[in-house]
Amino acid sequence: MKRIFSLLVAVLMVAGMLVLVPSAEGDELPADATVLDYAGYIHDSYFVILAGDNMTVAELTALGHGEAKDMNYFAVAIVDGFDRILEINMTLGRPDGIKSDMVCPEYGYIIGLNGAKAGYEILASAQVGDTVELFNVDLDEIRGAEGHVALENAGFVIHSKSGESDVWLNMPITEENGVAIDEGDVDGQLYVYPAGEEDRVLESSEGNLRYSYVVVCDKDGKPIEAGNNLVFASVDESFQNEITIPAGGFAFTFYYNTSNTGNQELFDVYEDLTSMAPIYNQTIPVTNEDYTFSYADGWLEVYKAEEEAPESSEEESSEEPAESSEEEESSEEPAESSEEQQTSAPAPSTSAPAASSDAPVEDGAPIGIIVGVIVGVVVIAVVVVVIIRKRK
């Protein structure tokens, strides 16, 4: 009886360890992912990821190498806490390729692709504002960590801001709580006014409302009101001269006319929201529910609901699709690369590499293994209980 009980305890302990032991493989990398070899800097032909709040390349490389390195032969992307690319430097070699003073933003990270290794050109086709999706990388573990660690099954994919994405439009914000402006002073300016925890009344004289288009959003980013050219109360009190922004929401305003078309795409959204109604010196309720807006750290993102495709009839569904020609199948080529050095405004996320001694970054055990182990433990426990009862 004691032996059987001891065996049962041992089996349960082993099973528990199997469930708790992390898998070295982690999530499977997508086919289009670029592999990351190390977390922390290593002076060789590898692809690396570095992280340290407001630390320069010189400071981060010193952590991983013992002395500062300039990463002159690495293509480098600076990524902020929202996984958005802020800066790209593809220049290789000295002196132009020196990157010592590039700074890792708070909660962000740096991706470095060595120019001596095939695939570093992936950053040439990326743009400022594109987003990065990390796989099997734990930023919290590598942020400011000393040394470097080999990664296993880690990588990233860049999602183009101009490609197919949930984000329909992505606009850099000129200023938060911008002051009033005069007609014709700006081209493409975009201002945001957050409400905070309480409703906020914004007067035209204190905000960018006199010569601009206005959209008011609730706490969920849904547009509730839109209009344009709210005059100052000092000019004429008979017109609307203020807006009320609901708690947790925000308003954004932008300048546009036929000679200053920097916000053409945003103006098209405005017309869609208002159904092109003739509005002047006032705002009206918005009934269009296709759009949602998000404001975060220097960027205004516009989301548009996809239109549902009409259901096809049985006759239409019975038609077999035409076979694609070889030319069509082979026409999918990567976007042309551009070696221009790009910089822009920002945008927070926490993603995933590890940084201990030489242990690879590990993820949780696959769910299939966990379920299998639990089922096995249950079966063994049942068998043991049956044996005990028989012996009694």
Side-chain angles (χ1 to χ4, degrees):
M1 179 72 69
K2 290 183 178 180
R3 289 182 179 179
I4 294 176
F5 180 75
S6 300
L7 177 62
L8 176 58
V9 172
V11 169
L12 291 173
M13 290 178 63
V14 171
M17 291 175 64
L18 287 173
V19 172
L20 294 175
V21 169
S23 166
E25 295 181 359
D27 298 330
E28 183 177 354
L29 286 182
D32 58 344
T34 300
V35 173
L36 290 169
D37 303 305
Y38 280 87
Y41 180 75
I42 182 168
H43 194 59
D44 213 330
S45 302
Y46 293 110
F47 290 172
V48 300
I49 181 168
L50 317 171
D53 293 346
N54 301 313
M55 296 179 69
T56 64
V57 163
E59 293 170 330
L60 287 170
T61 53
L63 290 175
H65 194 267
E67 60 178 329
K69 293 293 180 180
D70 57 26
M71 293 186 74
N72 78 91
Y73 212 68
F74 282 76
V76 166
I78 305 293
V79 187
D80 68 12
F82 292 93
D83 295 309
R84 185 174 287 120
I85 296 177
L86 301 182
E87 185 177 354
I88 298 172
N89 190 332
M90 290 292 300
T91 306
L92 304 182
R94 297 188 178 96
D96 295 339
I98 292 177
K99 304 171 180 71
S100 302
D101 294 333
M102 296 183 76
V103 178
C104 177
E106 188 173 9
Y107 303 116
Y109 50 95
I110 296 176
I111 291 176
L113 308 183
N114 194 283
K117 183 175 178 179
Y120 85 96
E121 304 94 341
I122 184 69
L123 290 183
S125 58
Q127 298 182 32
V128 168
D130 288 352
T131 55
V132 177
E133 183 178 5
L134 290 175
F135 297 89
N136 304 324
V137 178
D138 189 343
L139 291 178
D140 291 333
E141 292 190 21
I142 70 165
R143 189 173 289 114
E146 296 185 3
H148 56 265
V149 55
L151 300 175
E152 186 170 342
N153 203 34
F156 68 93
V157 171
I158 296 175
H159 299 288
S160 173
K161 65 177 179 180
S162 59
E164 294 183 2
S165 166
D166 290 338
V167 180
W168 188 73
L169 183 61
N170 192 321
M171 303 289 294
I173 292 170
T174 306
E175 186 179 349
E176 183 176 333
N177 294 316
V179 297
I181 58 172
D182 294 326
E183 183 177 13
D185 281 353
V186 294
D187 181 11
Q189 300 281 23
L190 171 62
Y191 295 84
V192 163
Y193 304 88
E197 297 180 358
E198 298 180 354
D199 290 356
R200 175 183 181 183
V201 176
L202 180 67
E203 296 183 1
S204 182
S205 57
E206 63 178 289
N208 178 29
L209 309 180
R210 178 64 183 94
Y211 297 103
S212 58
Y213 292 86
V214 180
V215 177
V216 181
C217 301
D218 64 15
K219 61 181 179 61
D220 298 318
K222 300 301 294 184
I224 57 176
E225 191 177 345
N228 63 76
N229 288 289
L230 306 190
V231 300
F232 299 162
S234 59
V235 175
D236 193 335
E237 293 186 358
S238 63
F239 292 100
Q240 181 179 344
N241 50 58
E242 65 182 27
I243 57 174
T244 299
I245 309 169
F250 64 92
F252 65 88
T253 68
F254 62 95
Y255 187 78
Y256 171 86
N257 66 24
T258 52
S259 355
N260 291 317
T261 58
N263 283 318
Q264 180 65 58
E265 292 174 305
L266 206 51
F267 178 72
D268 293 341
V269 172
Y270 171 86
E271 286 199 320
D272 209 359
L273 289 173
T274 59
S275 301
M276 302 181 69
I279 311 170
Y280 200 69
N281 299 134
Q282 65 175 326
T283 60
I284 64 172
V286 169
T287 57
N288 190 324
E289 298 182 354
D290 290 341
Y291 294 93
T292 304
F293 300 88
S294 174
Y295 159 59
D297 200 16
W299 290 82
L300 177 73
E301 293 182 341
V302 184
Y303 301 82
K304 185 178 182 182
E306 295 182 2
E307 296 181 2
E308 294 184 3
E311 294 183 5
S312 58
S313 64
E314 293 183 3
E315 290 183 15
E316 291 175 342
S317 62
S318 63
E319 295 179 6
E320 295 184 2
E323 294 183 5
S324 58
S325 65
E326 291 184 4
E327 290 184 7
E328 290 176 335
E329 292 177 354
S330 61
S331 63
E332 296 182 5
E333 296 181 359
E336 292 184 9
S337 62
S338 165
E339 292 193 1
E340 290 183 8
Q341 188 172 339
Q342 307 188 37
T343 58
S344 181
S349 106
T350 51
S351 295
S356 46
S357 56
D358 289 321
V361 174
E362 299 175 343
D363 207 308
I367 188 65
I369 296 177
I370 296 175
V371 173
V373 170
I374 293 174
V375 171
V377 170
V378 172
V379 171
I380 293 173
V382 171
V383 172
V384 171
V385 170
V386 171
I387 294 174
I388 292 173
R389 286 184 175 179
K390 286 185 176 180
R391 293 207 170 190
K392 285 183 178 181

